[in-house]
Amino acid sequence: MLSITDTLRPERIRLALAATDGDAAIRETAALLRSSPSVLEWEPMLAGLLRAAPCIGERDGDFAFCLPHVRTDAVNAMVMSIGRSPAGIIFADSPQPVRYVFCIALPKALDSDYLRILGLLSRILKAPESEAMLRDAPSPEKLIDRLAQLEARL
């Protein structure tokens, strides 16, 4: 069973996205995966991420997070990247600014891991104290450590 931190690497995390709109934020975050040996076909994977990008607002909060994800033969293992925007980015389908973009692509055969990872991320980011830990992470390595701590609590 895969965990969130099994697939994350520091080079796949950008702590301050330059993007100012939703599509650009997804493209910038997804670009962190381009050099992964697990990505077999870049364009189909990116197209899938752009198609399936639900944004979820934090209950009674001031931010949302976006989970572009795709099950595809364009990858041979699960890959994940994270983009963080301290100010937030406006997405067309989100009433709140998006502070986090998690791009996830995995082979079609990993159904159970896929659903579990999406559920874990949703539960972590909906808890204000958990989100504060991620918001204050000063480095990609610390963000991964904090995600591991939060995942272990669930």
Side-chain angles (χ1 to χ4, degrees), residues 4 120-127 130 134 150-151 154:
I4 293 170
L120 283 169
L121 288 171
S122 292
R123 286 194 306 266
I124 287 170
L125 289 165
K126 284 187 173 189
S130 298
L134 300 179
L150 293 167
E151 183 177 11
L154 298 177

Side-chain angles (χ1 to χ4, degrees), residues 24-149:
I26 293 169
R27 289 177 187 280
E28 184 179 348
T29 304
L32 300 170
L33 298 171
R34 193 169 193 148
S35 64
S36 171
S38 297
V39 176
L40 306 174
E41 297 180 76
W42 169 251
E43 292 299 330
M45 185 194 78
L46 178 61
L49 291 171
L50 288 167
R51 270 193 309 274
C55 294
I56 302 164
E58 188 229 352
R59 186 177 42 244
D60 301 323
D62 63 348
F63 78 96
F65 53 96
C66 188
L67 294 169
H69 58 279
V70 62
R71 290 176 44 241
T72 178
D73 293 327
V75 297
N76 63 10
M78 184 171 154
V79 293
M80 182 187 315
S81 60
I82 301 173
R84 183 177 73 180
S85 172
I89 298 166
I90 301 301
F91 276 66
D93 65 340
S94 177
Q96 299 158 315
V98 170
R99 199 175 288 158
Y100 302 93
V101 177
F102 285 81
C103 289
I104 304 168
L106 64 161
K108 291 178 180 177
L110 296 179
D111 278 346
S112 61
D113 287 320
Y114 161 77
L115 295 173
R116 196 177 64 69
I117 296 291
L118 290 177
L120 283 169
L121 288 171
S122 292
R123 286 194 306 266
I124 287 170
L125 289 165
K126 284 187 173 189
E129 64 280 355
S130 298
E131 187 276 328
M133 286 177 63
L134 300 179
R135 184 177 354 114
D136 294 338
S139 68
E141 293 82 5
K142 283 290 185 192
L143 188 92
I144 291 170
D145 289 346
R146 290 176 184 183
L147 271 172
Q149 290 171 21

